[in-house]
Amino acid sequence: MKRNFAKAFALFAAVLMLSATVLETSAHARAAGGRSIGSRGSRSYSTPGTAYRQSTPYQQPAPSPMGQPQMQQPSAGGGFLRSMAGGIAGGLLGGMLFRGLAGAGGAGYGGGGIGLFEIILLAGIGYMIYRMVRRRRSTTPLQSVSTGYGSQGYDTYQQSVPASYRVEEPVRDDVQTGLSHLRQMDPGFDEARFKDQVMDNFFRIQGGWMNRDLQALSPLLTSEMQGVFREDIERLLREGRVNRLENIAVRSVELAEVWQEAGQDYVTALIYANLLDYTTDERGTVIEGSKTEPVKFEEYWTFTRPVGNNAWRLAAINQRG
């Protein structure tokens, strides 16, 4: 019986490994691998493109019937989908393990054990759940559960504090305000010239990535980004893979956020581009991607520098949507 249980556990571990393999298939697509990496200072956990404005005028909050701040109700849609998907996956997993143990237990139990189709099905469900959660997190701001200390409680607190002491609320479009602050320490800053520099750095970074040349990339990256690129490039070299990028075309570069903090300037630019993106082995045989079908993508690239007329370095790459 112990051996049968060990066999079922080994099959379950294989499913997890298969799921992880599926999730990593695009880990080396263009620079950053099509994922979000790096740091945007205090805005690292906010959606790129979200700016700040002064909070609303002071108003005395209306008390709830119990004299306590109103609590925010959790979102029903996402919770229902996750619960449903989790229930399905849990039921399938439980059923498969039970049948696996029963089938291997001899007479009186019946069943044929865990089949390859069931293993593949479970891996597919796990991947679907992962994509659902990831998509929801990337498009929806963080929400609090109904404890009274989440968004609603925060808004109530904001209203109860005089404006001069109030924290600013996130909204969009303070690019011009951010540029005016930036120009106080760098009067010669030119938006059009900066966009050209973003485009130049985009090409240089993609070229260094394709050539697996960290030395060429280092002057363009922050120390944190250098560490991320180093790990990815070492993995490519270890696996004998080359991520080839051809026919790169940048369609547009737009400033999404400009701000200052902790003695640093930050500018986030939205880049819309397309290119041929495929991976080969050292002999040039295509392993992943296509040499003929271009890939279109939109990414937020955040650059930082010490306040003033200093060199910009790439601090983060975030996927849009």
Side-chain angles (χ1 to χ4, degrees), residues 192-206 248-253 269 271 301 303:
R193 189 160 57 242
F194 177 81
K195 290 181 179 179
D196 288 340
Q197 184 178 353
V198 169
M199 201 177 305
D200 290 342
N201 285 8
F202 177 84
F203 284 111
R204 293 174 63 188
I205 290 172
Q206 299 292 359
I248 303 175
V250 177
R251 301 302 184 184
S252 66
V253 176
I271 301 175
W301 284 40
F303 296 85

Side-chain angles (χ1 to χ4, degrees), residues 128-203:
M128 180 186 68
I129 295 173
Y130 169 83
R131 290 300 299 268
M132 288 170 55
V133 174
R134 181 179 180 184
R135 186 182 301 112
R136 183 171 180 83
R137 288 180 177 176
S138 65
T139 58
T140 306
L142 292 176
Q143 298 182 2
S144 64
V145 295
S146 54
T147 61
Y149 295 95
S151 302
Q152 189 73 18
Y154 175 78
D155 293 340
T156 303
Y157 169 78
Q158 286 285 81
Q159 292 174 343
S160 65
V161 177
S164 58
Y165 294 95
R166 224 174 295 163
V167 179
E168 295 176 337
E169 302 173 358
V171 291
R172 299 186 181 278
D173 273 342
D174 76 335
V175 171
Q176 294 305 316
T177 300
L179 288 174
S180 65
H181 292 163
L182 187 149
R183 290 189 178 107
Q184 291 179 5
M185 299 300 293
D186 183 9
F189 178 85
D190 180 76
E191 182 177 347
R193 189 160 57 242
F194 177 81
K195 290 181 179 179
D196 288 340
Q197 184 178 353
V198 169
M199 201 177 305
D200 290 342
N201 285 8
F202 177 84
F203 284 111

